[in-house]
Structure formats: C-alpha cells, structure tokens
C-alpha cells in the first residue's frame, strides 16, 4: 500500500555524504528521512580495507558504512530501502516518488546519490576487484609499496592517479587506448617527466590474470589496437581510471548540472539553483571523490538545510503577524 511520508529534510542516497547529512539533520531536529537507493553504503561497499578514514587505522568499507548507518539511525534518522524515481521541485513542499510507490514530501532535499566509477566490463576485472583491481588510487595506492602497477585511462584522473601512485609503487605503466591523452597539458608534462612512469599507447587491457591463493593480480594481457599484437605485462595492481558517472539521471531538468551530469552548486556551498535543494558528495565533486570530503559536504548540506528552514519559518512568522507587531517588523525592514 503506497504511503506518504512528511519530513523537513529528505536525503536521497546513503553513502558518506548522505549518512553524515542524516546525523547532522537529525541532531538539528529536522527529522530526516534517508532514501537509501539500490546500494546502501555506496561505493565503499565494494572496497576492502579503508585506511584513510580519520580515527580508523584500518576498517573494511562495508563495516564503515554499517557504522555510519547505525550512527544516523541512533541520531534519529529514518531509513527507507527504496529508490527515488521521480522528483518535483517546482512545488513546495517538494514531492519525490519512489520505485516502491511511496511519496516523500519534504521542505528541503539533500541529493547525495554519488557517482560510480566506470569499469572496463571484462570478467577478470570483476573477479579481481578488491584483490589488486581498484577504482581509487588514493584509497588503495599504499597497498602497492615498491610494486608494479598499471593505470588504465588517458584523462585527468588517470594521469593524476599515475603521478600519485609513484609515491608508493616502484613502477607505473599507463595503458591508454589512443595515441594521446585528453588530460590537461600541465599534468601530462609532469607525467612525461617522471622516470617511474611508462605509457603504452594505442593499447587496451584485454584480460587481468592472477593467482587464487592468496588471491592477487600478477599480470595483464594487453592488445595493441592498431596491430592486434598481444603482450603480457607483469604487475601487482590495476587501477581503472576511465571516468566516473554521477547518479543524476532522475534530477535531469530539475536542477542545474554541468556537461558531465554533475550537479552544480554555489561556491563554498552545497546549494543548487533550486532554493531548498542541496547536493553533497561525489554527485557534485569530480576532483576529490573521497569518503571524507563527501562526509564534509554532507555536514555542510544539513547545516545549510537547517538555516534554510529557519529562514523560511522566520518569513512565515513575520507574515502571520498582525497589527502593531507587523508594523514593528515592517519598520525594521
Ligand atoms: P575522462 O572522461 O576525462 O577520461 C576518461 C579516459 O578514459 C579517456 O582518456 C578515455 O579515452 C578513457 N576511456 C574511457 N572509456 C574507456 C574504456 N572502455 N577503455 C579504455 N579507456 C577508456 O574522465 P576522468 O575521470 O579522467 O575525468 C572526468 C572529469 O573530471 C574531467 O572533466 C576531468 O577534467 C575532471 N577531473 C579533474 C581533476 C582535477 O581538476 N584535479 C582530477 C580528475 C578529474 P579517450 O581519451 O580515448 O576517450
């Protein structure tokens, strides 16, 4: 039976941004509702050890997200395992409908649906994900101290990842499907100057190979797309850096987005172009993409939602005043 739920703050998405927003919104008495989406916990659910979350020397990604959800619920946030499939930001309060048929009526909305790394789509990539295959150099680079790693891609992320990985790995090979990078020139120059980085042009990784016990990557099979020649490249890790896709299709036409589909927010703020709708985390961040930065933005979004609601209530209180009180307020204006 479809139901209608009312809240001061609806949070869409349940990664670090969504859960942090939920903690802050609950503590500000906004009685937040979190609609968690298809994969509660977000990208951290498919990572193994997380060693860059403050206060945790090492924690499994899924455990960290379990703790975040528990903390948000403890603070008073209500969780719905459902997917928002329709939004209407043209009326107030906002109305969002879910796949489950429920309606969520909210004074403010925090979009925290995240982004997903794009993957090559080959079976061996899935088989070794978390066992040598990674989509985040900053998260996993430290596991490859003194080792050889491959970075796949030719954009800013791939070049930045390759440079970052030289802090840990002894050898980094960038495998790119074309004969030139699309990354910024200054980044490319830095990469070409680095003696620890090699580039394989016009080349794709067609298979990732490894051992089962313990499970680990040992080499990749590469194919030159011009000649069709295959080669084996020994390596310990494979970083796939072929772009990210923000999960924003449901918001298209409802909030402003950039050409890549990321939600645009005001400088130093999580406010979108729709007053009362905020965006936090990877859904609006193509530069840092870290759990801790997403969480920071979730905090900002909840604080901004609280301020927005307080300002709206002030306006209503002023409008509701009559006689001498209204005259006083008008005089202050
Ligand atoms: P991009 O879309 O810019 O680049 C993706 C790269 O991956 C391209 O070189 C592309 O090749 C390659 N690629 C795509 N699909 C495949 C595939 N199936 N197999 C092999 N290679 C593939 O993504 P990025 O993540 O690098 O950057 C996204 C956005 O974020 C950009 O706007 C970028 O500038 C920005 N960014 C900014 C940063 C910063 O300011 N510090 C840091 C990181 C990103 P091809 O070139 O042939 O299409």
């Amino acid at each position: 039976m479809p139901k209608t739920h009312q809240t001061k703050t609806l949070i869409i998405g349940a990664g670090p941004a969504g859960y942090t927003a939920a903690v802050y919104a609950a503590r500000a008495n906004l009685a937040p509702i979190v609609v968690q989406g298809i994969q509660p916990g977000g990208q951290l659910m498919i990572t193994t050890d997380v060693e860059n979350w403050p206060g945790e020397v090492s924690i499994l990604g899924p455990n960290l997200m379990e703790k975040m959800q528990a903390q948000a619920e403890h603070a008073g946030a209500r969780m719905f395992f459902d997917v928002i499939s329709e939004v209407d930001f043209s009326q107030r309060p906002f109305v969002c409908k879910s796949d489950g048929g429920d309606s969520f009526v909210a004074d403010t909305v925090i979009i925290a649906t995240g982004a997903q790394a794009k993957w090559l789509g080959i079976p061996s990539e899935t088989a070794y994900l978390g066992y040598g295959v990674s989509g985040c150099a900053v998260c996993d680079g430290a596991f490859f101290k003194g080792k050889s790693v491959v970075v796949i891609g030719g954009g800013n992320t791939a070049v930045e990842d390759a440079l970052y990985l030289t802090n840990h790995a002894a050898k980094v090979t960038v495998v790119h499907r074309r004969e030139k990078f699309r990354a910024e020139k200054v980044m490319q120059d830095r990469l070409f100057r680095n003696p620890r980085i090699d580039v394989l042009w016009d080349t794709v990784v067609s298979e990732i190979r490894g051992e089962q016990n313990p499970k680990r990557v040992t080499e990749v099979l590469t194919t030159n797309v011009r000649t069709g020649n295959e080669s084996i490249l020994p390596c310990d890790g494979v970083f796939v850096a072929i772009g990210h896709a923000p999960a924003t299709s449901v918001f298209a036409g409802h909030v402003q987005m950039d050409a890549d589909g990321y939600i645009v927010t005001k400088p130093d703020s999580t406010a979108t172009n729709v007053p009362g709708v905020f965006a936090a985390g990877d859904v609006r961040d193509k530069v840092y993409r870290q759990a801790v930065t997403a969480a920071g933005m979730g905090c900002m979004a909840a604080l901004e939602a609280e301020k927005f609601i307080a300002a709206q209530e002030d306006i209503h209180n002023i409008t509701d005043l009559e006689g001498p009180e209204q005259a006083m307020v008008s005089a202050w204006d």
Side-chain angles (χ1 to χ4, degrees), residues 120 153-157 160 176-178 182 241-243 260 286-287 289:
L120 300 172
N156 269 344
T157 304
E160 208 170 80
H176 183 38
R177 66 181 178 183
R178 283 195 297 141
R182 66 170 64 224
I242 61 172
D260 298 320
K286 59 172 86 162
V287 177
R289 297 190 181 117

Side-chain angles (χ1 to χ4, degrees), residues 110-186:
I110 296 174
I111 300 171
T113 44
Q116 286 196 323
K118 290 184 192 160
W119 297 98
L120 300 172
I122 53 176
S124 50
E125 174 187 53
T126 320
Y128 288 100
L129 187 61
Y131 297 92
V133 174
S134 167
C136 179
V138 174
C139 317
D140 298 328
F143 300 119
F144 296 91
K145 272 209 166 57
K147 308 232 162 141
S148 288
V149 296
V150 163
V151 174
I152 303 168
N156 269 344
T157 304
V159 170
E160 208 170 80
D161 282 2
L163 288 165
Y164 173 79
L165 285 165
T166 59
N167 294 324
H168 304 289
K171 181 89 215 152
V172 178
T173 307
V174 180
V175 177
H176 183 38
R177 66 181 178 183
R178 283 195 297 141
E179 76 298 348
K180 63 176 182 196
F181 288 137
R182 66 170 64 224
E184 284 165 50
K185 178 84 173 53
V186 58

Side-chain angles (χ1 to χ4, degrees), residues 28 36 61 105 109 153 189 263 269:
Q36 295 176 289
V105 178
V109 172
D189 290 346
I263 294 178
S269 163

